[in-house]
């Protein structure tokens, strides 16, 4: 979603993350990598960074660490999958500046900060959904079940492993759940799938 409110929130969250990175004595190259990378991904989820892009440096080790995060993906980063090569790079930086901090602790805190970004965007997305006509469409349980059937058939493909448990329940059992349960299931899976930029847009429930 690229509504003005969402774009503003994303920018504020990235700015907040950048302030924390700087205050935590993060390697400036890592700070720049995360700030520019996240901003670009939010605007263009399918963008592919080139070797000579603004995120690359003249340092081979830096580029190797950054490439490892490229391979993991930005959506997965926001889900908590931080490259250990970047954690190691930060550890070396702490050693270089004679800091007693550790890359492990830094990485754990960074993951929490990234989770907060995901959580805040999820809250904002739900607020928008529940205050627009999209929520009224959910009253049509037949259409909702049809859409859930499509999502369940697609399965957890391209989604982080944390979402796989939502597909363990057989479709027939899922469709017998209460309307409130179905709405919650749908919102979680569709939000995750759209965040991964693979959401189908052929039904009335697409929130983009």
């Amino acid at each position: 979603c690229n509504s003005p409110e969402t774009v503003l929130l994303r920018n504020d969250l990235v700015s907040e993350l950048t302030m924390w990175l700087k205050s935590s004595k993060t390697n400036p190259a890592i700070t720049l990598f995360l700030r520019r990378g996240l901003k670009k991904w939010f605007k263009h989820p399918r963008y592919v960074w080139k070797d000579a892009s603004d995120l690359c440096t003249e340092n081979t080790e830096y580029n190797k660490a950054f490439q490892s995060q490229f391979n993991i993906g930005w959506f997965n980063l926001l889900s908590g999958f931080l490259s250990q090569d970047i954690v190691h790079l930060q550890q070396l930086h702490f050693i270089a500046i004679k800091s007693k901090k550790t890359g492990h602790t830094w990485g754990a805190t960074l993951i929490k900060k990234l989770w907060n970004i995901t959580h805040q965007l999820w809250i904002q997305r739900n607020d928008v959904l529940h205050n627009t006509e999209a929520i009224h469409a959910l009253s049509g349980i037949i259409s909702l079940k049809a859409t859930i059937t499509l999502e369940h058939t697609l399965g957890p493909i391209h989604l982080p492993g944390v979402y796989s448990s939502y597909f363990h329940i057989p479709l027939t059992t899922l469709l017998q759940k209460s309307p409130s349960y179905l709405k919650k299931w749908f919102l979680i899976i569709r939000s995750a799938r759209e965040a991964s930029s693979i959401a189908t847009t052929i039904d009335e429930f697409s929130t983009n």
Side-chain angles (χ1 to χ4, degrees):
C1 177
N2 288 312
S3 67
E5 295 80 6
T6 300
V7 172
L8 180 61
L9 177 59
R10 287 172 180 169
N11 290 338
D12 287 344
L13 290 171
V14 172
S15 295
E16 181 180 325
L17 176 65
T18 301
M19 290 177 62
W20 174 81
L21 289 169
K22 292 180 178 180
S23 67
S24 299
K25 301 184 185 303
T26 301
N27 185 317
I30 295 178
T31 298
L32 185 64
F33 171 79
L34 293 174
R35 181 174 65 80
R36 286 184 175 177
L38 286 172
K39 280 192 171 184
K40 175 65 77 172
W41 182 79
F42 279 136
K43 292 181 178 179
H44 307 287
R46 296 183 182 278
Y47 184 81
V48 178
W49 291 95
K50 307 296 183 181
D51 292 339
S53 70
D54 292 340
L55 293 189
C56 296
T57 71
E58 296 181 355
N59 189 303
T60 303
E61 289 302 312
Y62 285 17
N63 292 339
K64 178 182 177 182
F66 296 160
Q67 184 60 53
S68 68
Q69 190 61 60
F70 285 149
N71 295 337
I72 293 173
W74 294 102
F75 175 72
N76 289 333
L77 172 64
L78 288 171
S79 297
F81 295 93
L82 176 64
S83 166
Q84 288 303 303
D85 289 337
I86 288 183
V87 174
H88 178 66
L89 195 64
Q90 180 59 33
Q91 177 62 48
L92 295 178
H93 180 68
F94 281 144
I95 293 174
I97 64 176
K98 295 180 171 52
S99 172
K100 294 182 179 181
K101 295 182 178 181
T102 67
H104 176 77
T105 300
W106 171 86
T109 305
L110 174 57
I111 288 174
K112 292 180 180 178
K113 296 291 183 181
L114 293 168
W115 280 344
N116 178 63
I117 291 177
T118 302
H119 182 62
Q120 293 301 322
L121 290 174
W122 183 81
I123 290 176
Q124 192 268 352
R125 187 184 189 85
N126 276 353
D127 286 343
V128 170
L129 180 61
H130 284 79
N131 286 283
T132 62
E133 294 183 359
I135 190 61
H136 299 302
L138 294 179
S139 61
I141 194 66
I142 295 178
S143 297
L144 176 59
K145 286 185 176 181
T147 304
I148 288 178
T149 298
L150 174 60
E151 292 289 355
H152 195 280
T153 301
L154 287 174
I157 184 172
H158 299 312
L159 294 179
V162 67
Y163 293 99
S164 62
S165 62
Y166 288 92
F167 297 89
H168 291 170
I169 181 173
L171 178 60
T172 54
T173 302
L174 174 61
L175 295 178
Q176 293 176 4
K177 296 291 186 178
S178 67
S180 61
Y181 183 95
L182 293 176
K183 292 174 185 177
K184 180 179 179 181
W185 190 97
F186 164 75
L187 287 173
I188 292 174
I189 299 304
R190 176 51 64 89
S191 294
R193 207 180 293 284
E194 288 187 345
S196 296
S197 299
I198 61 170
T200 55
T201 57
I202 60 174
D203 62 83
E204 64 190 277
F205 297 110
S206 179
T207 54
N208 276 339

